[in-house]
């Protein structure tokens, strides 16, 4: 039975986008709730959030102003990505000069946000000082002393700005500090899931450190939960790539034994405190491995009678609805209720790039945002259709899917579910949702914990997300975008666009056409490809090869 679901997941990975989207559209036609009621709710949420945000001075305004569609936004993104990990000041200076020196910062001045204006002035000044210094023209205007003092000052300033940005997205440097800070949100009705920053560990020492951080955090969260249980109390989110240095398909046996052992220990601890433990979703080529680990954990008799085990489904993956089916089946077979967080997926850019670099046959993810959005609603429908097996957790900052999920749940009489948002991103929206006088659906805040050294990969994902001009949070702040456009249903968009892959994103094999075909690679994380490879190698294993020189 379980293999049937796995086979379906494997086949779906290589499906073409048009047929996937056609199936999604057909399914959504059948399951969608009342579209008029959804639109009314989405509109009221967007209107309220826009009113609340008007005139505020937040980091989100900064992200919108310097979105990735501007040259300056891209420069800032590169800086943020690189700055915190460059060890020497000479390279930092070169980088700042290159990235800040050529931007048209002046064009970003004059908006209503104090934060944006202050940051822009800072960047303009940096740009002026550095570029003028670069061209040797400032010497007459400024003394050498200022120049000498200027560079470290700018370096420090930009470093500080990036760290401030980090603080916006990080709950605390230690779990103790984060738990203390979370009390404020708890008092307003929010729940929390803490994430110890750090991922993609490269050495056993890194893994040890992350493992102990998770262990310490579970003890602290468990004590703070004080028996409130998996839903009402706080929980923890784990990144498996932090717990094993070779968390890849080619090391499956080691991963299942070593990582499986660590994961079980952390799960037992979470069970002891009766808190939720969730496994975050990472890159698409780790999906099957994470499902293997999760299935073993779910079937473990020592972890029976605990419904706090959680898994994340990424709607941007073509396999997503089938992963939901597999999880529902897993819950039935192991007689437990699973906590399933539905997200759209945070690694879109790198998934596209990886498939191109590796010359894969297709992309594991959709190439249009509307396709991901539609997949999200179809997966939401399937999760809501299995209330005995699944406690659904809908993670989004977008008012449209939020309203659609609320509507679908209401029509099916499902009340036992929650929404989720990231710390520093969705609170203005969810202030309209939690509490008895609003929609009265609980919301859990995903709260990253860690020092600036461990922040970088997370910060980059948040900056990409906030800075992309298709992102809901960025569009919400743009007064030029009408509410009708913001709340348009994905089905409408798909029908308008035709349900085809994005024309600017050719298949990996067609990347260099018409010049040439891209060199084809082999996806060594794809089980069906591995099985074919294995058959071919086995067939050749008994064959005798005779080698001799061509020239006598
Ligand atoms: P929207 O602006 O509506 O959607 C943005 C998303 O659309 C992008 O993130 C991307 O997934 C998708 N998209 C954008 N452009 C395209 C395109 N051209 N083609 C196809 N799809 C596109 N992400 C993970 O990967 N793993 C996790 O474990 C995880 N945990 C999370 C936990 C919480 C509580 C939250 C709130 C988010 C989490 N995320 C995780 C991030 C999540 O995947 C999304 O990146 C984020 O929430 C943005 O989606 P949205 O609905 O809020 O915004």
């Amino acid at each position: 039975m379980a293999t049937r679901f796995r086979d379906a997941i494997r086949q779906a990975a290589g499906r073409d986008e048009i047929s996937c989207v056609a199936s999604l559209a057909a399914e959504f036609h059948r399951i969608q709730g009342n579209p008029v009621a959804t639109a009314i709710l989405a509109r009221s949420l967007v209107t309220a959030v826009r009113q609340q945000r008007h005139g505020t001075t937040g980091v989100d305004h900064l992200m919108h102003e310097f979105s990735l569609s501007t040259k300056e936004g891209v420069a800032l993104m590169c800086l943020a990505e690189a700055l915190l990990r460059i060890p020497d000041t000479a390279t930092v200076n070169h980088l700042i000069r290159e990235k800040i020196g050529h931007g048209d910062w002046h064009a970003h001045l004059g908006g209503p946000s104090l934060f944006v204006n202050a940051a822009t002035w800072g960047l303009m000044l940096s740009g002026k000082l550095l570029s003028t210094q670069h061209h040797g023209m400032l010497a007459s205007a400024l003394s050498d002393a200022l120049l000498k003092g200027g560079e470290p000052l700018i370096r420090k300033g930009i470093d500080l700005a990036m760290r401030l940005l980090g603080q916006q997205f990080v709950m605390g440097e230690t779990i103790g500090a984060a738990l203390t800070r979370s009390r404020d949100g708890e008092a307003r009705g929010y729940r929390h899931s803490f994430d110890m920053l750090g991922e993609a560990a490269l050495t056993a020492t890194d893994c040890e450190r992350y493992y102990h951080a998770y262990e310490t955090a579970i003890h602290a969260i468990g004590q703070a939960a004080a028996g409130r249980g998996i839903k009402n109390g706080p929980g923890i989110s784990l990144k498996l790539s932090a717990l094993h240095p070779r968390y890849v398909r080619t090391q499956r046996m080691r991963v299942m034994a070593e990582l499986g052992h660590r994961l079980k220990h952390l799960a037992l601890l979470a069970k002891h405190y009766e808190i939720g433990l969730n496994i975050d979703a990472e890159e698409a080529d780790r999906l099957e491995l994470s499902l293997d680990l999760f299935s073993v954990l779910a079937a473990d008799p020592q972890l029976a009678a605990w419904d706090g085990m959680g898994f994340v489904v990424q709607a941007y993956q073509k396999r997503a609805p089938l992963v939901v089916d597999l999880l529902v089946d897993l819950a039935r077979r192991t007689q437990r209720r699973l906590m399933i967080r539905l997200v759209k997926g945070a690694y879109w850019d790198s998934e596209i790039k990886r498939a191109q670099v590796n010359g894969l046959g297709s992309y594991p993810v959709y190439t249009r945002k509307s396709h991901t959005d539609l997949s999200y609603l179809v997966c939401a429908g399937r999760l809501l259709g299995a209330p005995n097996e699944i406690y659904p957790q809908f993670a989004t900052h977008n008012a449209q899917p939020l309203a659609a999920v609320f509507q679908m749940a209401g029509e099916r009489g499902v009340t036992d579910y929650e929404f989720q948002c990231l710390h520093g991103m969705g609170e203005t929206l969810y202030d309209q949702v939690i509490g008895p006088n609003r929609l009265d659906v609980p919301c859990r805040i995903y709260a990253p914990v860690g020092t600036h050294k461990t922040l970088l990969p997370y910060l980059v994902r948040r900056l990409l997300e906030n800075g992309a001009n298709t992102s809901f949070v960025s569009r919400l702040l743009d007064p030029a975008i009408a509410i009708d456009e913001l709340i348009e249903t994905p089905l409408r968009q798909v029908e308008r666009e035709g349900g085809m892959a994005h024309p600017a994103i050719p298949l990996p094999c067609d990347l260099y056409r018409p010049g040439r075909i891209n060199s084809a690679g082999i996806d060594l994380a794809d089980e069906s490809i591995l099985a074919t490879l294995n058959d071919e190698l086995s067939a050749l294993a008994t064959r005798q090869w005779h080698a001799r020189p061509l020239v006598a």
Side-chain angles (χ1 to χ4, degrees):
M1 188 69 163
T3 24
R4 178 164 69 84
F5 289 101
R6 285 306 272 271
D7 288 346
I9 288 177
R10 279 167 202 166
Q11 280 160 18
R15 265 181 84 183
D16 68 277
E17 193 157 341
I18 299 183
S19 73
C20 289
V21 176
S23 315
L24 292 177
E27 183 166 342
F28 189 67
H29 265 298
R30 288 196 306 273
I31 62 157
Q32 67 175 320
N34 178 346
V36 178
T38 301
I40 292 172
L41 176 57
R43 179 180 299 281
S44 75
L45 289 170
V46 168
T47 311
V49 174
R50 276 197 165 166
Q51 272 164 6
Q52 293 251 326
R53 292 202 168 193
H54 186 72
T56 59
T57 58
V59 170
D60 43 5
H61 283 279
L62 185 78
M63 302 304 307
H64 173 69
E65 184 63 38
F66 295 109
S67 80
L68 293 178
S69 53
T70 67
K71 199 173 82 184
E72 293 75 30
V74 174
L76 270 188
M77 180 67 219
C78 295
L79 256 185
E81 197 275 331
L83 202 66
L84 297 178
R85 65 192 156 89
I86 295 179
D88 65 296
T89 45
T91 316
V92 171
N93 289 346
H94 277 304
L95 184 80
I96 295 176
R97 203 167 299 154
E98 185 189 311
K99 297 297 173 201
I100 303 289
H102 305 294
D104 181 13
W105 304 102
H106 196 264
H108 297 272
L109 270 178
S113 166
L114 183 67
F115 195 90
V116 173
N117 282 331
T120 308
W121 273 113
L123 291 162
M124 254 174 63
L125 199 64
S126 314
K128 278 234 160 54
L129 278 178
L130 287 168
S131 62
T132 332
Q133 182 199 15
H134 189 63
H135 296 116
M137 282 155 50
L138 195 69
S140 55
L142 292 167
S143 69
D144 277 356
L146 176 60
L147 267 180
K148 282 202 186 90
E151 211 157 62
L153 205 69
I154 293 160
R155 206 172 52 234
K156 230 22 267 124
I158 292 180
D159 189 60
L160 191 74
M162 290 303 160
R163 281 165 201 275
L164 272 177
L165 214 54
Q167 261 173 31
Q168 161 85 6
F169 297 115
V170 177
M171 194 77 167
E173 293 212 1
T174 62
I175 184 68
L179 278 165
T180 307
R181 196 169 165 199
S182 73
R183 283 196 210 122
D184 203 27
E186 274 186 0
R188 283 159 47 220
Y190 285 100
R191 304 161 171 183
H192 294 84
S193 181
F194 294 92
D195 160 49
M196 305 309 290
L197 282 173
E199 54 198 85
L202 292 177
T203 65
T205 321
D206 280 349
C207 291
E208 278 294 301
R209 206 176 51 247
Y210 291 138
Y211 177 77
H212 287 300
Y214 280 133
E215 205 178 31
T216 313
I218 293 177
H219 283 298
I221 296 166
Q223 278 152 22
R228 277 177 285 168
I230 54 164
K231 288 182 204 161
N232 291 327
I236 189 154
S237 293
L238 306 180
K239 285 217 167 30
L240 296 184
S241 66
L243 290 173
H244 200 278
R246 304 299 312 279
Y247 174 45
V248 285
R249 170 61 183 85
T250 47
Q251 300 289 323
R252 187 174 183 281
M253 273 164 66
R254 266 188 72 190
V255 169
M256 293 307 290
E258 297 166 14
L259 179 50
H261 177 72
R262 284 176 206 153
L263 194 54
K264 178 175 171 179
H265 178 77
L266 294 176
L268 281 170
L269 214 54
K271 179 186 172 187
H272 166 76
Y273 285 110
E274 193 54 20
I275 63 169
L277 176 139
N278 172 82
I279 295 177
D280 281 0
E282 300 182 66
E283 291 83 355
D285 59 356
R286 307 199 207 246
L287 171 68
E288 290 228 32
L289 208 46
S290 62
L291 282 171
D292 288 340
L293 287 159
F294 191 67
S295 304
V296 172
L297 212 60
D300 194 313
Q302 282 182 278
L303 293 165
W306 167 58
D307 286 343
M309 207 177 278
F311 196 82
V312 179
V313 177
Q314 294 165 319
Y316 66 10
Q317 286 206 44
K318 293 178 192 161
R319 299 173 280 187
L322 298 158
V323 175
V324 172
D325 292 347
L326 179 141
L327 293 167
V328 173
D329 174 65
L330 180 67
R332 274 183 200 139
R333 281 189 296 106
T334 55
Q335 296 181 340
R336 55 165 75 243
R337 198 173 179 220
L338 298 170
M339 301 180 103
I340 302 299
R341 176 195 300 158
L342 181 63
V343 302
K344 288 182 187 162
Y347 304 80
W348 184 81
D349 308 69
S350 45
E351 294 296 356
I352 295 288
K353 187 74 189 166
R354 190 184 65 88
Q356 293 175 345
V357 169
N358 292 342
L360 301 187
S362 63
Y363 295 108
V365 296
Y366 293 110
T367 56
R368 283 187 191 267
K369 182 173 182 295
S370 56
H371 299 174
T372 297
D373 291 343
L374 187 60
S375 166
Y376 190 91
L377 296 183
V378 167
C379 292
R382 291 196 188 189
L383 291 171
L384 289 168
N388 297 326
E389 293 82 7
I390 304 290
Y391 176 69
Q393 303 170 304
F394 300 103
T396 179
H397 306 120
N398 186 330
Q400 200 289 326
L402 190 164
V405 164
F406 181 77
Q407 193 58 33
M408 280 198 279
E411 285 175 18
R412 290 158 190 234
V414 178
T415 50
D416 196 19
Y417 69 98
E418 67 182 29
F419 287 113
Q420 296 196 343
C421 69
L422 298 175
H423 166 69
M425 278 185 69
E427 287 93 337
T428 325
L429 175 63
Y430 283 101
D431 283 349
Q432 315 300 319
V433 171
I434 57 170
N437 300 325
R438 314 236 183 216
L439 301 187
D440 204 14
V441 181
C443 175
R444 191 179 303 276
I445 297 176
Y446 182 97
V449 180
T451 58
H452 294 299
K453 278 207 176 104
T454 51
L455 162 72
L456 196 67
Y458 182 81
L459 180 61
V460 169
R461 284 202 295 280
R462 295 295 77 81
L463 292 180
L464 277 174
E465 197 171 311
N466 282 271
N469 56 7
T470 53
S471 130
F472 180 80
V473 276
S474 167
R475 285 157 52 90
L476 185 68
L477 283 170
D478 187 347
I481 296 182
I483 295 187
D484 281 342
E485 236 180 286
L486 268 177
I487 62 169
E488 188 181 26
T489 68
L491 189 59
R492 261 273 179 72
Q493 282 174 52
V494 167
E495 284 167 355
R496 197 162 30 79
E497 294 159 356
M500 281 172 292
H502 199 293
I505 310 176
L507 281 177
C509 58
D510 296 332
L511 202 58
Y512 301 110
R513 282 193 194 270
R516 65 174 173 87
I517 300 173
N518 190 10
S519 49
I522 301 174
D523 186 354
L524 293 176
D526 184 322
E527 295 295 336
S528 31
I529 289 178
L530 286 176
T532 314
L533 208 58
N534 196 35
D535 289 347
E536 286 170 2
L537 286 174
S538 308
L540 291 173
T542 50
R543 185 166 160 181
Q544 285 296 318
W545 297 92
H546 298 284
R548 60 191 162 84
L550 287 175
V551 182

